[in-house]
Amino acid sequence: MRLSKEEQAILAGQRGPAEKRALEIVVTLGRVYGAERLVPVESVQVAGVSYRNLGDAGLEFLQDWAQEGARVRVPTTLNPSGMDREQWQKQGFSETFAAKQEQVISAYQAMGIEPTCTCTPYEVGNRPRFGEHLAWSESSAVVYANSVIGARSNREGGPSALAAAICGRTAEYGLQCTEHRKATHRVEVYCRIRQPHEYAALGYMIGAQVGDGIPYFVGLDLPPLPADHAEPSTVAGSAASDTLKLFGAALASSGAVALYHIEGVTPEARVWSEACPPNVATIKVHSVQEAIARLNHPIEQIDLVVIGCPHASLAELTEIARYVRGKHLRSALWVTTARAIRRQAEAQGVLQTIESAGGLVIADGCVVIAPMHELAFRTLATNSAKMASYALPLAGLQVRFGSLESCLDAAISGTWAKDISQ
Ligand code: F3S
């Protein structure tokens, strides 16, 4: 690998042990993947925030690096933690967990990282431009940045993203390179996919088939996204963006998809004639019902409804508020979102409407990485295929998956209505 004089000096320790360690991680990864050089990153998004996953060993690793002098060189935001930092008591989590969770976030803040605690950084200021190099680690955010915006990020692990933030660089391999962004599969969709949860089911189905491949979808009816090389994308928060959030998150969770193209819709598919080479494997889709059925366990009683995986936009919060206005919810309803979006919802009275019905709008957190074993919930309903596929293995919850309306109806009645699993 060719390293610049500056990079060689960092490796020699001239900018301190913390940056030396960071660059060593980035260079080692680059050598493993055959990179020829490093490239500067415009922003970083770091996962690995929940104390439930990190434990004391992970917390000490972060504190040590911070004490060694690690400071980020580029704008860096954080993935969700295991709780709402202001409402963890309402969620029912223990003081012990909350205290440890705060220590994790403090360690990241000591390195200069913004405690955004969201998986939708592109909705709260960390909004990349087409073609920019990034080092992001939340899989749903990576697939969004690559596919919906046309920026470039590999699926970084938490430590490798943090290392990239500290040295301001990543190795140029994989999706950082144009030649590795071509489709590996052509997916021809012959059924009408209308609702967001149907997109999620399609993503869940195709992710399982293509693994870490790059699917190129044909036959999806979505408005074209801007192929904008100069200005930050203005797509975030729109209906198409919200649908693609659910879609990409599902692709990235049942498989390891980090980039997809949609013919005539996503930016690279619109401006790049080679996005889908001829003779790639073809997958034909005639229905997503089987995928929807696979995501549904045979339960009726719903203890908890979770919307906002990935984190809900203001438009989604507004839609939820409209649906539950004046209602009295029988199940718990948690809507997870970014704190900045929660504030906007509060300013518009949207938050108050959801809370008057009995729902909770949770910032900073994610159910999948929360200490759900501390609570009494046993069943969950969601419109997110990612949440549906992770809820049992990672949070111990049986699941119903369906449309937003089906989930909110379940929150209102306390049960999953028969015949609405689709
Ligand atoms: Fe976000 Fe957690 Fe879902 S990180 S994408 S809310 S599993």
Side-chain angles (χ1 to χ4, degrees):
M1 187 187 297
R2 295 190 311 274
L3 295 177
S4 68
K5 285 211 168 74
E6 186 188 15
E7 289 157 358
Q8 289 172 24
I10 296 170
L11 281 182
Q14 287 182 15
R15 291 224 293 242
E19 195 166 343
K20 176 180 189 296
R21 176 141 58 122
L23 196 64
E24 280 170 354
I25 292 171
V26 169
V27 168
T28 302
L29 274 173
R31 291 203 170 116
V32 167
Y33 288 104
E36 290 183 2
R37 60 173 189 159
L38 306 181
V39 287
V41 289
E42 300 299 328
S43 75
V44 172
Q45 192 259 357
V46 175
V49 184
S50 172
Y51 173 72
R52 197 199 83 177
N53 292 355
L54 287 172
D56 284 330
L59 172 57
E60 280 164 27
F61 168 81
L62 294 171
Q63 288 172 331
D64 286 351
W65 214 352
Q67 266 171 16
E68 203 177 37
R71 298 293 178 270
V72 298
R73 289 193 166 270
V74 293
T76 303
T77 50
L78 270 192
N79 216 34
S81 70
M83 63 182 203
D84 186 308
R85 297 180 69 194
E86 294 176 7
Q87 301 188 99
W88 54 269
Q89 281 155 313
K90 274 195 200 169
Q91 288 184 277
F93 297 137
S94 66
E95 205 167 335
T96 313
F97 177 82
K100 290 286 190 179
Q101 182 60 81
E102 279 302 321
Q103 286 179 39
V104 171
I105 295 170
S106 296
Y108 280 121
Q109 281 186 279
M111 296 187 226
I113 298 175
E114 291 176 56
T116 47
C117 296
T118 182
C119 47
T120 57
Y122 43 86
E123 289 185 355
V124 293
N126 187 353
R127 194 173 291 181
R129 295 167 190 245
F130 186 98
E132 279 183 354
H133 295 288
L134 317 172
W136 285 19
S137 50
E138 157 56 31
S139 65
S140 68
V142 171
V143 72
Y144 186 98
N146 277 316
S147 314
V148 179
I149 298 174
R152 300 181 171 208
S153 180
N154 289 311
R155 274 171 68 128
E156 300 287 348
S160 70
L162 185 54
I166 293 166
C167 66
R169 296 160 166 83
T170 191
E172 192 182 42
Y173 68 91
L175 295 179
Q176 304 290 355
C177 310
T178 303
E179 65 269 26
H180 294 137
R181 297 178 66 88
K182 293 179 182 174
T184 57
H185 296 75
R186 179 182 165 90
V187 182
E188 297 175 357
V189 181
Y190 293 102
C191 50
R192 281 294 294 275
I193 307 286
R194 292 191 192 87
Q195 298 197 60
H197 80 288
E198 294 173 333
Y199 276 89
L202 175 66
Y204 174 75
M205 186 173 139
I206 298 303
Q209 292 181 54
V210 306
D212 61 358
I214 301 174
Y216 183 97
F217 290 89
V218 178
L220 292 179
D221 186 17
L222 281 167
L225 301 170
D228 189 342
H229 294 242
E231 292 303 316
S233 165
T234 51
V235 181
S238 67
S241 168
D242 288 338
T243 297
L244 292 174
K245 273 191 321 194
L246 288 170
F247 180 52
L251 277 162
S253 56
S254 64
V257 173
L259 167 65
Y260 62 84
H261 303 293
I262 304 177
E263 187 175 62
V265 176
T266 53
E268 276 169 309
R270 294 182 64 206
V271 300
W272 187 27
S273 58
E274 293 173 49
C276 188
N279 305 325
V280 293
T282 300
I283 298 171
K284 298 188 182 193
V285 178
H286 296 281
S287 167
V288 293
Q289 294 311 313
E290 199 187 313
I292 291 175
R294 228 180 306 138
L295 287 166
N296 272 276
H297 300 148
I299 49 167
E300 286 183 20
Q301 163 110 16
I302 301 297
D303 299 337
L304 171 66
V305 175
V306 177
I307 308 295
C309 171
H311 277 176
S313 67
L314 184 59
E316 289 173 303
L317 283 162
T318 305
E319 196 179 343
I320 294 164
R322 209 175 294 130
Y323 206 88
V324 302
R325 179 183 296 279
K327 301 282 193 322
H328 175 70
L329 306 182
R330 295 223 170 126
S331 305
L333 168 66
W334 287 6
V335 187
T336 48
T337 189
R339 182 154 299 281
I341 302 284
R342 189 180 188 279
R343 277 196 210 103
Q344 289 172 30
E346 187 171 16
Q348 297 189 11
V350 166
L351 179 75
Q352 294 82 340
T353 304
I354 296 172
E355 290 187 345
S356 301
L360 206 51
V361 178
I362 291 168
D364 318 316
C366 159
V367 167
V368 163
I369 51 171
M372 296 303 285
H373 59 276
E374 293 186 355
L375 311 182
F377 299 127
R378 293 291 168 265
T379 59
L380 171 149
T382 182
N383 64 340
S384 164
K386 175 175 180 177
M387 177 65 64
S389 60
Y390 284 177
L392 185 59
L394 297 182
L397 298 162
Q398 297 272 328
V399 179
R400 277 291 184 179
F401 166 77
S403 67
L404 176 64
E405 293 74 18
S406 302
C407 292
L408 295 177
D409 283 341
I412 292 165
S413 68
T415 57
W416 190 260
K418 290 195 178 79
D419 304 321
I420 62 162
S421 61
Q422 288 78 30

